[in-house]
Amino acid sequence: MGRSRRTIPEELLLLALDPATGTTAQPQSLDLGLAGAQLVELALAGRIAPDGDRIAVVLPRPTGDPTLDSALELLRRRGSPVRAVHWIGGPRLGLRQTYLTHLERCGMVHAVAGQMCGVLPTTRYQATDTAISREIRARLDNAIRTGVPPDPRTAALAALAHAVGLGKHLYPGNEGRSSRSRLRDLIRHDPMGGLVAHAVMDVQNGVAAQPRRAPVAGPAPGAGGRQPAARATDGTPGGVPVQPRRGSMARVGAR
């Protein structure tokens, strides 16, 4: 993968950076979004493909991007397709900092040291070339304003931006409500982006999102016993209780 093109994780992080404060918006959900953005980027590179609600490695050859290749190798080691919600919900310690350091090394941001309460050291990251951030934002604005179906990269970026709650950061207040709604609707233009965005929101909402299994045979109601509740399992002992999904993407309100 040539480095002349910015990856979707990089663009998502640049969108989240506040130009005034140097902090990232929605930091907790952003970590989930970055893990999801890696999946989308690997899919666009032809390394993985969706298999229902799972992710399968179809070409384990490295992309040339160390961070993406690390994720690809972890997926390959699983040996079988992994559910997107489980991958995104797994531990991703330091992923945001890894990308911030990478952006600094590429000259897109620079670190600004500071202190919290005059004691605790802090680091903020300011964009060094705001034209890049403006170009990324302009792509989203253009897709929202014109209604023209965006390219897959922009559609996936929009889906992830909505999923992690950046809509209220990019289009704040009552005047931004229609833009936030249209940002959400762009998800339909990229199936992989939609799959990943659903998984990001499911993890945030604590929804197991497991497919239901057929009820286990047992005593019929009124015959001295209860019908056992259907449960789902991901292959781990004990399984995970099925929780109701909180609604499809089409019903999720603008953030």
Side-chain angles (χ1 to χ4, degrees), residues 213-235:
R213 298 174 61 190
V216 179
R226 290 186 190 174
Q227 187 77 4
R231 297 176 69 85
T233 178
D234 63 354

Side-chain angles (χ1 to χ4, degrees), residues 30 37 45-46 57 76 83-84 93 109 140 154 185-186 190 200 212 224-225 237 243:
L30 181 61
V57 175
R76 186 193 66 79
R83 298 188 70 239
L93 296 177
V109 303
L140 292 184
T154 302
D185 293 342
L186 290 176
D190 182 63
V200 168
R212 288 183 179 272
Q243 300 182 29

Side-chain angles (χ1 to χ4, degrees), residues 100-187:
L100 283 169
T101 301
H102 169 73
L103 290 177
E104 183 183 19
R105 189 167 58 246
C106 293
M108 295 187 200
V109 303
H110 69 277
V112 179
Q115 289 183 328
M116 180 184 296
C117 302
V119 178
L120 299 175
T122 62
T123 303
R124 296 178 294 114
Y125 290 86
Q126 307 263 204
T128 55
D129 187 351
T130 56
I132 294 176
S133 298
R134 287 198 301 269
E135 182 272 327
I136 298 170
R137 172 70 178 270
R139 281 165 40 212
L140 292 184
D141 290 346
N142 186 64
I144 287 173
R145 184 179 64 254
T146 65
V148 175
D151 63 273
R153 300 184 71 81
T154 302
L157 181 62
L160 287 161
H162 167 71
V164 303
L166 288 185
K168 58 189 176 184
H169 167 70
L170 299 170
Y171 307 103
N174 287 333
E175 64 276 14
R177 292 186 67 178
S178 60
S179 292
R180 292 196 298 271
S181 178
R182 288 193 290 271
L183 178 71
R184 174 201 64 202
D185 293 342
L186 290 176
I187 195 172

Side-chain angles (χ1 to χ4, degrees), residues 77-92:
R77 289 178 185 175
R78 295 291 184 97
S80 60
V82 59
R83 298 188 70 239
V85 70
H86 290 167
W87 173 261
I88 291 169
R92 292 291 178 273

